[in-house]
C-alpha cells in the first residue's frame, strides 16, 4: 500500500521538475556571462532582443547608426540594471563592423552571440520600377553585411569553443509583402544564408538560426499599419487577430542562443501570429 501511495507523489514531483525546466524556472539566467552583439538594437525588435538577452544574463553590446540612439538605449537598459554597452555601427561599413566586434572583445573578452537585425527598405512599388541603386542598397545592407559581420565574429567564437548566430529575416521570405519586392527577396536570401552558414560552421560548434517575424508593431513597419483600415485588414489574415509586439520576438531568440537549443541549427523560426508561411 505504501508503494502505491508513493507513485502519485513521485509522478507529481517529476512533473514539477519537467515543468520548471521547460519554463526556464530552474535556470533563471540561461545566458549567464555570454557576450552578445545585436545590430540595429536601439529600437523595435532589436531593442527587445537586446533587453531579453541581458535579462537572461548576457553582456550585450547594442548598436545603430546614430550615437544619440545608442546612448539612449544604453541608458534605458542600464537603468533597468542590465549589463549593456553600445557603439555606433553602420553595418554596411567594414570599419564599423570591425569596431563592433573589437568593442565586445575589449570590454568582455570575446563574442558568444551575434544577432544580425539591421535592415533597410527604401522602396515601395513594382519590381519593374526598382533601380539598380535600390537593389544595391538593399542587398548590401540586408544580406551582404550579415554575411560579412558573421565572418568577423567567427574567429572570436572559435576562441570560445563555439557560439550562436541568429539572423533576423521576415515572414516576407515565405509570403511576399505587396510592394516590397526587393526587401522580400533579401529576406528570402537570408533564409538561404542561414542554411549555408549552418552547414559550414557546424564543425566549429557555431550554430546559425533565423528568426522570421510577421508584422510587428514597430516604427520600421508603421507604413503597413498606421492607417486603421490597413491594420484591420491585416488582422483578418492572422489566426491570432492582432499585430505582434517586439517583445514577442525576443524570447525565441534567447532560446536559440541558449544551451536549450544546442541541437538546433539551420532552422528558421516564424513568429507571425499564425500567418501562413509554409507547409
Amino acid at each position: 500500500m505504501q508503494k502505491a501511495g508513493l507513485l502519485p507523489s513521485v509522478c507529481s514531483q517529476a512533473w514539477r521538475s519537467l515543468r520548471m525546466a521547460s519554463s526556464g524556472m530552474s535556470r533563471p539566467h540561461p545566458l549567464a556571462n555570454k557576450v552578445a552583439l545585436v545590430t540595429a538594437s536601439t529600437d523595435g525588435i532589436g531593442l527587445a532582443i537586446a533587453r531579453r538577452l541581458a535579462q537572461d544574463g548576457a553582456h550585450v553590446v547594442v548598436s545603430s547608426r546614430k550615437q544619440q540612439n545608442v546612448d539612449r538605449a544604453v541608458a534605458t537598459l542600464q537603468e533597468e540594471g542590465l549589463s549593456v554597452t553600445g557603439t555606433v555601427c553602420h553595418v554596411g561599413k567594414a570599419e564599423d563592423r570591425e569596431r563592433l566586434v573589437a568593442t565586445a572583445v575589449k570590454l568582455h573578452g570575446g563574442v558568444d552571440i551575434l544577432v544580425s537585425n539591421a535592415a533597410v527598405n527604401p522602396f515601395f512599388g513594382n519590381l519593374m520600377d526598382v533601380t539598380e541603386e535600390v537593389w544595391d542598397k538593399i542587398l548590401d545592407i540586408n544580406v551582404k553585411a550579415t554575411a560579412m559581420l558573421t565572418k568577423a565574429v567567427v574567429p572570436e567564437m572559435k576562441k570560445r569553443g563555439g557560439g550562436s548566430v541568429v539572423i533576423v529575416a521576415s515572414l516576407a521570405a515565405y509570403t511576399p509583402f505587396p510592394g516590397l519586392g526587393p526587401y522580400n527577396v533579401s529576406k528570402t536570401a537570408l533564409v538561404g544564408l542561414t542554411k549555408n552558414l549552418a552547414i559550414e560552421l557546424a564543425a566549429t560548434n557555431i550554430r546559425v538560426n533565423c528568426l522570421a517575424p510577421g508584422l510587428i508593431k514597430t516604427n520600421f513597419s508603421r507604413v503597413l499599419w498606421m492607417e486603421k483600415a490597413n491594420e484591420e485588414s491585416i488582422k483578418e489574415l492572422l489566426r491570432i487577430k492582432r499585430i505582434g509586439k517586439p517583445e514577442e520576438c525576443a524570447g525565441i531568440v534567447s532560446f536559440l542562443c541558449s544551451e536549450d537549443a544546442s541541437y538546433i541549427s539551420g532552422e528558421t523560426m516564424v513568429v507571425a501570429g499564425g500567418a501562413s508561411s509554409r507547409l
Side-chain angles (χ1 to χ4, degrees):
M1 293 296 292
Q2 271 190 323
K3 290 183 180 179
L6 284 173
L7 185 58
S9 176
V10 171
C11 290
S12 177
Q13 291 175 9
W15 170 247
R16 283 197 298 270
S17 297
L18 178 61
R19 185 174 61 185
M20 289 177 67
S22 65
S23 66
M25 292 171 64
S26 61
R27 296 195 302 113
H29 298 294
L31 303 179
N33 296 317
K34 298 294 185 182
V35 180
L37 303 180
V38 187
T39 64
S41 50
T42 59
D43 192 19
I45 292 173
L47 178 60
I49 291 171
R51 175 180 280 114
R52 179 57 182 267
L53 297 183
Q55 288 173 340
D56 286 347
H59 304 293
V60 180
V61 180
V62 302
S63 65
S64 76
R65 291 177 297 170
K66 296 181 179 180
Q67 185 67 56
Q68 62 265 35
N69 293 343
V70 172
D71 293 342
R72 183 186 67 247
V74 169
T76 297
L77 296 176
Q78 287 184 347
E79 285 173 3
E80 297 173 14
L82 302 175
S83 177
V84 176
T85 54
T87 186
V88 169
C89 180
H90 185 311
V91 297
K93 298 179 178 179
E95 61 271 25
D96 279 20
R97 297 192 298 264
E98 291 167 3
R99 183 173 61 246
L100 178 61
V101 177
T103 297
V105 173
K106 179 180 179 180
L107 293 176
H108 304 295
V111 179
D112 302 289
I113 295 165
L114 168 66
V115 181
S116 181
N117 177 59
V120 296
N121 179 48
F123 178 84
F124 185 87
N126 296 322
L127 271 174
M128 294 301 100
D129 296 326
V130 182
T131 65
E132 186 170 352
E133 290 74 19
V134 166
W135 275 113
D136 286 345
K137 183 172 184 177
I138 290 177
L139 294 178
D140 184 55
I141 300 300
N142 296 8
V143 183
K144 187 180 77 173
T146 296
M148 300 310 294
L149 189 53
T150 302
K151 181 179 180 180
V153 300
V154 163
E156 298 302 329
M157 289 182 175
K158 285 181 178 179
K159 293 175 186 177
R160 312 272 273 197
S164 177
V165 177
V166 177
I167 295 170
V168 179
S170 168
L171 177 67
Y174 298 106
T175 305
F177 294 159
L180 302 180
Y183 176 83
N184 298 335
V185 170
S186 73
K187 295 301 183 175
T188 304
L190 289 178
V191 174
L193 179 63
T194 297
K195 291 180 179 295
N196 280 272
L197 287 172
I199 293 169
E200 292 196 12
L201 296 177
T204 62
N205 196 34
I206 297 173
R207 297 180 298 103
V208 185
N209 290 292
C210 188
L211 174 73
L215 185 56
I216 306 297
K217 207 164 241 190
T218 65
N219 287 330
F220 185 80
S221 68
R222 72 187 306 270
V223 68
L224 299 175
W225 54 262
M226 62 182 176
E227 293 186 14
K228 190 65 177 177
N230 288 346
E231 182 175 353
E232 293 304 315
S233 64
I234 288 169
K235 288 178 182 178
E236 288 304 310
L237 301 175
L238 305 175
R239 293 183 179 90
I240 300 176
K241 299 297 182 180
R242 63 177 175 80
I243 296 175
K245 298 176 289 186
E247 294 75 19
E248 292 176 301
C249 295
I252 189 67
V253 174
S254 182
F255 163 73
L256 289 172
C257 296
S258 76
E259 284 302 306
D260 288 332
S262 59
Y263 202 50
I264 300 175
S265 193
E267 299 294 342
T268 298
M269 307 297 183
V270 177
V271 180
S276 178
S277 59
R278 53 192 172 182
L279 292 176

